[in-house]
Structure formats: structure tokens, C-alpha cells
């Protein structure tokens, strides 16, 4: 049996195998990046590691 980590994006219910999920985080403060691709919402500092935060609605071409 495959176990999934599920989450919602708009009206969609999506899932990933839990073996592929490293961590689940709540909202983090974002630093905006001027002239970045519209899918890139900003950067997040996660324990000293800088990560790009992506907007799945825009990546999947769903309405905002």
C-alpha cells in the first residue's frame, strides 16, 4: 500500500509519496525577488539554507 502526503491547491487534491517528503512547514516569511519568473513567489531562509518558494497555482496554470 502506498502512503501519500496530501494537500490542496485550489479545488485540486494532490498527493506525494511520503518517502519523497522531507518536511511539512507552515507559512514562512518570503523575500520577494524582483523580475523573477511569475511561478517564483520568493525566497525562504530555512535554518540558514535559502530555498525558492514556488506558487503551484501558477505552475499548474490555475486561477489565483
Amino acid at each position: 500500500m502506498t502512503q501519500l502526503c496530501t494537500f490542496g491547491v485550489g479545488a485540486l487534491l494532490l498527493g506525494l509519496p511520503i518517502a519523497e517528503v522531507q518536511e511539512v512547514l507552515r507559512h514562512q516569511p518570503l523575500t520577494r525577488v524582483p523580475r523573477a519568473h511569475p511561478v517564483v513567489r520568493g525566497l525562504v531562509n530555512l535554518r540558514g539554507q535559502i530555498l525558492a518558494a514556488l506558487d503551484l497555482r501558477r505552475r499548474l496554470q490555475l486561477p489565483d
Side-chain angles (χ1 to χ4, degrees):
M1 177 199 282
T2 302
Q3 293 182 323
L4 299 173
C5 177
T6 60
F7 56 97
V9 178
L12 297 176
L13 179 62
L14 304 172
L16 295 169
I18 60 169
E20 300 294 323
V21 177
Q22 181 176 352
E23 188 172 2
V24 177
L25 302 171
R26 299 231 181 243
H27 182 270
Q28 300 288 317
L30 294 176
T31 301
R32 300 276 181 204
V33 180
R35 294 191 279 180
H37 191 280
V39 171
V40 177
R41 296 291 292 181
L43 300 175
V44 177
N45 184 342
L46 181 62
R47 294 184 290 278
Q49 186 175 7
I50 305 301
L51 305 173
L54 306 179
D55 186 333
L56 284 178
R57 282 190 184 105
R58 289 184 181 170
R59 178 68 178 99
L60 298 173
Q61 299 177 349
L62 299 172
D64 286 337

